[in-house]
Amino acid sequence: MHPLICASCLLFAAPAPNAPDAVAKPAAPATAEAAPAAFPKVVVVGIDGASWNLVDPYIAAGVTPTLGALTREGARGELASFWPLRTPQVWTSVVTGKLPGQHGIWDHVSNSAYNPPPFRTAKRKAVTSRERRSKALWQLLDAAGLSSLVVGWISTYPAEQLPHLAMAAPALFASDKRQSSIKGTFWRDVPEQVSPATLWPDVQRVIVEPSQISDAELAPFAEVPPAGSPIYGLPFMERYVYALRWSLARARSVEAITAALAARSTPDVALFYFQCSDSLLHRFWIFKESEAAIDARLRGHKIRTDLVPELKRRFGRVADACYRDIDERVGRLLTQLRGPETLVLVVSDHGFGDAPVPHPSRDEPYGGNHRDLGLIIAAGPQIPAGSTIADASVLDVTPTLLHLLGQPVGDDMRGKILPELVGGAEALRARPPTRVPSFEAVPQLEAPFAEGYPPRKKRPLAVDQ
């Protein structure tokens, strides 16, 4: 477990509400001098479930040349996550520097087993940005007069309305067939996805919905079985094939929306997020392996095995195609967004790898497993090529970016500033960050269930199991 996440972190203070009109730039101590901005522009790329056990082979094979180039010209490292490696929790921690017990986001819905009993509701409710109790990075930057562009980030719907924010927030529907993945996506008939609302026509025009994705467009990912195929008689397979369309539509929407909104202005910070590297690998992981491994997995779940060769042929390239697709989209967006002084930061919420046979989740008979360690890549003019980022956590992202952008860091943030991104430990000692007690009305010193809920029973997934 990462050293930042410990039982000794249990102190108390009530969280402040997350109301946009409560966002205010905190006054730095009179004796403190704000650090100058190390980078005038920042681009943060979120890739769900990415880890070096996958990315390094893909770089070597030429599948992900964009990630390869960033790795060679900058710094790389592992990025520690925290139990239970749940998407909404971790991605919210990335942009707040706080644990779920502080920021208030435990899961996609409010009544699941990932919500500790004191925070669990009786009725099922989709968790939205209104449940977040800590100010996110874009709110802190907005208060300082810095502009942000945020597209596709988890748990941001409905889009927050701030003077210096352009946001496209994916909408989550818990009971609609649209909701092939609980991560949410963009729909032309759903309100409140965009901030400011005046940008809605620009966004609506470029949204891609799953019904628009043809079999031919899916060909790089999979050979879609025809109607009536016995493959659709296998558990979950009809829904999973739809998930291919859903994921490609979401990726196309994220790229198109980011490009369209970035063309209107130049943000100080841009954040965008791609997810097929998690959602599709939960559904199709085993098919990248050998037919013997597929056969063993299906037998473990008491699923017929006579279709193994066809499953391998149709779905064996899903994982590779997903990473290739993300890499191409990131490359195009960086061409548009990146300038000579821009810091590019690639982060993931956790890693992904092999799963025991049979897979422990009955709902994911063909999937892989989350791993504790995701990845971080940093590239920019002040980042030494080929260097290593050590002991990094998802909680470190927001404190580090605030310092790089010349902003103070809250004492109730659980992360640290990564010295490798600010010129080294000596440079950080020479000009330490300006600090404030909190950006909230009341400092969020308590982190209930700091070691995660439900309690962890298994050893860390630092390596494939």
Side-chain angles (χ1 to χ4, degrees):
M1 182 168 289
H2 193 271
L4 289 171
I5 305 168
C6 59
S8 64
C9 297
L10 300 175
L11 304 173
F12 176 77
N18 176 39
D21 59 3
V23 179
K25 184 178 181 180
T31 57
E33 180 183 351
F39 290 94
K41 305 291 179 185
V42 175
V43 176
V44 181
V45 182
I47 303 178
D48 206 302
S51 47
W52 292 112
N53 61 299
L54 289 170
V55 173
D56 273 337
Y58 284 143
I59 290 174
V63 173
T64 55
T66 301
L67 295 182
L70 292 172
T71 301
R72 288 188 295 274
E73 68 180 81
R76 59 175 280 166
E78 293 178 322
L79 194 65
S81 190
F82 54 80
W83 182 256
L85 309 175
R86 197 69 178 159
T87 296
Q89 294 186 17
V90 182
W91 284 113
T92 304
S93 292
V94 169
V95 294
T96 61
K98 297 181 179 179
L99 290 169
Q102 298 170 287
H103 61 60
I105 303 295
W106 298 94
D107 200 8
H108 300 281
V109 293
S110 61
N111 71 335
S112 77
Y114 295 102
N115 293 271
F119 302 93
R120 193 179 303 168
T121 62
K123 289 187 175 182
R124 182 183 179 91
K125 179 181 180 296
V127 171
T128 71
S129 60
R130 297 187 180 102
E131 277 70 60
R132 195 183 68 243
R133 299 195 304 253
S134 302
K135 293 181 178 66
L137 177 64
W138 46 86
Q139 292 176 289
L140 304 181
L141 298 179
D142 186 85
L146 298 176
S147 60
S148 300
L149 168 61
V150 183
V151 179
W153 211 264
I154 294 295
S155 300
T156 55
Y157 178 85
E160 299 158 71
Q161 305 295 316
L162 298 169
H164 308 292
L165 173 67
M167 174 179 280
L172 185 152
F173 292 88
S175 60
D176 196 313
K177 184 186 175 182
R178 292 172 169 183
Q179 196 55 57
S180 178
S181 169
I182 203 166
K183 289 180 170 63
T185 191
F186 300 97
W187 305 96
R188 295 193 193 93
D189 59 347
V190 177
E192 298 186 285
Q193 293 179 96
V194 176
S195 167
T198 53
L199 295 176
W200 174 236
D202 292 340
V203 171
Q204 189 180 41
R205 191 177 304 116
V206 297
I207 286 174
V208 180
E209 295 187 351
S211 61
Q212 295 176 258
I213 303 297
S214 67
D215 288 359
E217 289 173 298
L218 285 180
F221 290 80
E223 184 182 336
V224 175
S229 168
I231 284 180
Y232 293 121
L234 300 181
F236 306 104
M237 193 54 72
E238 184 173 3
R239 190 204 312 174
Y240 287 1
V241 170
Y242 177 80
L244 288 166
R245 301 185 199 281
W246 188 97
S247 290
L248 183 53
R250 192 191 197 283
R252 287 177 57 182
S253 294
V254 167
E255 181 185 1
I257 293 168
T258 304
L261 297 185
R264 295 179 60 97
S265 62
T266 304
D268 296 302
V269 178
L271 302 95
F272 50 88
Y273 160 91
F274 291 105
Q275 60 79 49
C276 75
S277 42
D278 181 79
S279 64
L280 291 185
L281 272 62
H282 276 295
R283 291 158 171 79
F284 296 99
W285 171 272
I286 195 61
F287 304 125
K288 69 188 282 294
E289 305 297 330
S290 67
E291 289 189 13
I294 300 170
D295 187 282
R297 175 70 69 85
L298 298 190
R299 288 181 188 278
H301 283 277
K302 297 181 171 57
I303 297 172
R304 59 187 284 191
T305 60
D306 58 306
L307 299 174
V308 166
E310 184 177 1
L311 288 166
K312 173 67 176 176
R313 173 172 59 84
R314 290 187 181 275
F315 303 116
R317 60 184 181 274
V318 169
D320 295 11
C322 166
Y323 269 90
R324 181 179 290 107
D325 185 74
I326 289 175
D327 192 83
E328 290 173 352
R329 296 184 193 282
V330 171
R332 289 190 291 265
L333 288 173
L334 290 183
T335 298
Q336 178 180 356
L337 290 164
R338 189 182 188 187
E341 299 300 317
T342 301
L343 169 68
V344 177
L345 193 65
V346 181
V347 295
S348 61
D349 55 335
H350 53 71
F352 211 94
D354 201 5
V357 179
H359 188 271
S361 173
R362 294 181 183 275
D363 294 338
E364 297 175 6
Y366 323 115
N369 250 356
H370 287 180
R371 293 160 49 115
D372 284 294
L373 299 177
L375 60 73
I376 181 170
I377 305 170
Q382 301 180 49
I383 307 296
S387 56
T388 300
I389 302 170
D391 190 32
S393 159
V394 293
L395 297 169
D396 302 335
V397 174
T398 283
T400 300
L401 290 179
L402 286 172
H403 183 60
L404 285 170
L405 291 163
Q407 302 304 308
V409 176
D411 286 336
D412 55 355
M413 292 179 177
R414 295 304 177 98
K416 64 183 179 299
I417 295 169
L418 296 171
E420 297 89 347
L421 272 65
V422 298
E426 188 61 37
L428 189 57
R429 284 192 292 270
R431 184 175 285 276
T434 302
R435 305 198 69 94
V436 295
S438 180
F439 291 98
E440 316 301 333
V442 178
Q444 294 177 322
L445 301 178
E446 181 195 14
F449 302 94
E451 294 196 0
Y453 190 89
R456 188 169 204 161
K457 298 179 181 178
K458 298 181 179 180
R459 67 180 176 84
L461 301 175
V463 295
D464 284 341
Q465 295 194 77

